[in-house]
């Protein structure tokens, strides 16, 4: 089965920004434009959740926890979808996968890209 290919993940500090890309391989570029495309996230030990979606006409939808921080977009000429993430939080950590609703319903997934957000820590002072 042919999958969309994700890239752009990394290890970042809380408050940082990151942009993920999702590119259609040559085998499915001819069918890319009419597709609704989704970004999913699977946090450690949790189920995979839908984070954002974009239709063929550019209508977008987001889960509440990322509204105002994440922006999904697509470039049909480049056969690529993007997820711009800002003000990242440790709870945004997970494997991000892009997919079509049909392949997701068939439990057919690509590799995804890992995003790890580490916190700023807390000061600990030990008095003698």
């Amino acid at each position: 089965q042919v999958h969309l290919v994700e890239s752009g993940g990394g290890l970042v500090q809380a408050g940082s920004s990151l942009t993920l890309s999702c590119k259609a391989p040559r085998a499915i570029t001819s069918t890319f434009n009419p597709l609704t495309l989704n970004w999913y996230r699977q946090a450690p030990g949790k189920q995979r959740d839908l984070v954002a979606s974009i239709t063929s006409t550019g209508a977008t939808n987001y889960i509440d926890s990322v509204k105002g921080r994440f922006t999904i977009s697509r470039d049909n000429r480049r056969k690529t979808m993007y997820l711009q993430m800002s003000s990242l939080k440790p709870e945004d950590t997970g494997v991000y996968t892009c997919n079509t609703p049909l392949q997701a319903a068939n439990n057919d997934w690509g590799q995804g890209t890992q995003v790890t957000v580490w916190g700023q820590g807390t000061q600990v002072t030990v008095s003698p």
Side-chain angles (χ1 to χ4, degrees):
Q1 193 59 276
V2 180
H3 300 113
L4 299 164
V5 180
E6 306 89 352
S7 62
L11 174 64
V12 296
Q13 191 173 12
S16 299
S17 299
L18 207 58
T19 298
L20 307 182
S21 298
C22 169
K23 187 167 179 59
R26 184 180 297 274
I28 60 173
T29 53
S30 61
T31 60
F32 181 87
N33 291 2
L35 294 173
T36 288
L37 300 168
N38 298 335
W39 279 105
Y40 300 81
R41 174 175 68 201
Q42 186 166 25
K46 295 188 177 181
Q47 69 178 22
R48 185 183 283 112
D49 292 324
L50 176 62
V51 173
S53 64
I54 186 166
T55 69
S56 59
T57 57
T60 59
N61 198 24
Y62 303 90
I63 57 171
D64 286 345
S65 63
V66 306
K67 284 180 181 177
R69 299 189 299 119
F70 289 13
T71 301
I72 189 172
S73 61
R74 65 192 295 164
D75 184 335
N76 285 341
R77 187 169 60 87
R78 289 189 167 89
K79 311 303 181 187
T80 303
M81 175 178 65
Y82 304 96
L83 186 66
Q84 295 173 275
M85 306 183 294
S86 62
S87 302
L88 282 163
K89 305 175 181 180
E91 51 265 41
D92 294 320
T93 292
V95 177
Y96 285 71
T97 309
C98 58
N99 212 349
T100 66
L102 178 60
Q103 283 189 278
N106 289 333
N107 201 29
D108 183 18
W109 298 94
Q111 276 195 309
T113 185
Q114 176 70 45
V115 173
T116 303
V117 185
W118 53 285
Q120 293 173 325
T122 185
Q123 177 68 46
V124 175
T125 302
V126 179
S127 299

